[in-house]
Amino acid sequence: MTVGTLNIPVLETERLILRGWREDDVEAIRAITTDEEAARYIGGLKEPWQAFRSVCTQIGHWQLRGFGFFAVEEKATGQCLGWAGCWRPDGWPENEIGYSLRRSAWGKGFATEAAEAALRWAYETLGWETAISCIDPDNVGSQGVAKRLGATLEESGVQVCFFTADIWRHLPPKQYLERAA
């Protein structure tokens, strides 16, 4: 049997590896989607079996769009912490930088570190001219990540497929890359 492969790049930061998905990452996704607090702003709790489908969705997005969410691995432990990267499923308003990590990884700067790497990659490699983050109005943590990346609140209460979000606009490529240098 031949298993298909995707050309998902590997991005490295000081503490993280952003990489393609593996079957053992299902457990990390399950840790997020079955934790009431961690799943609160990403569509709510899911059944444990849905974690496998979530990973398949991530892989499918890469196949169809040529970009997607990376699995985020902590270098020090080898543990998959969640996902971060580039996202634009059918019906999405624009190209998005998104992120979600298991609760044990919160408050350590991992989301900002991963999102910074993803945004740089989107601008430098994919040639994106703009990017947004769709953030639940009550998700103060994600708003903080967006602010640290230089994003500003552009519009509130936007209907995005199945939820209502605030649209945070990231800096344009030249400004972001100069700021991040």
Side-chain angles (χ1 to χ4, degrees):
M1 178 168 105
T2 302
V3 177
T5 59
L6 292 173
N7 188 19
I8 299 176
V10 175
L11 309 181
E12 289 197 41
T13 69
E14 182 181 338
R15 301 177 298 159
L16 303 172
I17 298 171
L18 282 67
R19 57 166 174 75
W21 294 90
R22 302 187 307 236
E23 190 169 352
D24 62 343
D25 296 328
V26 171
E27 289 307 316
I29 303 313
R30 188 173 289 123
I32 296 169
T33 60
T34 61
D35 176 325
E36 188 170 356
E37 186 63 23
R40 181 175 179 188
Y41 302 118
I42 58 167
L45 287 172
K46 303 283 188 267
E47 293 295 324
W49 59 266
Q50 290 177 293
F52 181 81
R53 286 187 178 186
S54 292
V55 170
C56 291
T57 297
Q58 309 303 338
I59 294 167
H61 192 283
W62 275 99
Q63 181 66 36
L64 293 173
R65 298 274 194 223
F67 60 85
F69 287 141
F70 295 91
V72 176
E73 179 180 308
E74 183 181 13
K75 284 181 179 178
T77 65
Q79 179 183 47
C80 181
L81 303 177
W83 64 82
C86 307
W87 188 241
R88 189 169 185 180
D90 188 45
W92 228 244
E94 292 183 43
N95 290 331
E96 178 182 21
I97 298 299
Y99 37 86
S100 189
L101 302 179
R102 58 172 69 211
R103 196 170 0 161
S104 62
W106 291 3
K108 300 176 182 176
F110 290 135
T112 301
E113 191 173 326
E116 283 176 337
L119 185 56
R120 175 179 292 282
W121 182 76
Y123 285 160
E124 291 181 339
T125 304
L126 297 177
W128 285 11
E129 293 297 321
T130 187
I132 62 170
S133 288
C134 300
I135 301 175
D136 186 287
D138 296 326
N139 191 341
V140 177
S142 282
Q143 292 167 13
V145 171
K147 288 175 188 176
R148 285 188 288 283
L149 294 175
T152 55
L153 179 61
E154 181 175 271
E155 190 174 357
S156 296
V158 176
Q159 188 63 37
V160 179
C161 295
F162 57 90
F163 67 101
T164 302
D166 291 345
I167 304 297
W168 288 76
R169 174 73 53 194
H170 291 280
L171 293 169
K174 186 174 190 296
Q175 263 187 289
Y176 176 77
L177 295 170
E178 286 173 356
R179 177 183 181 268

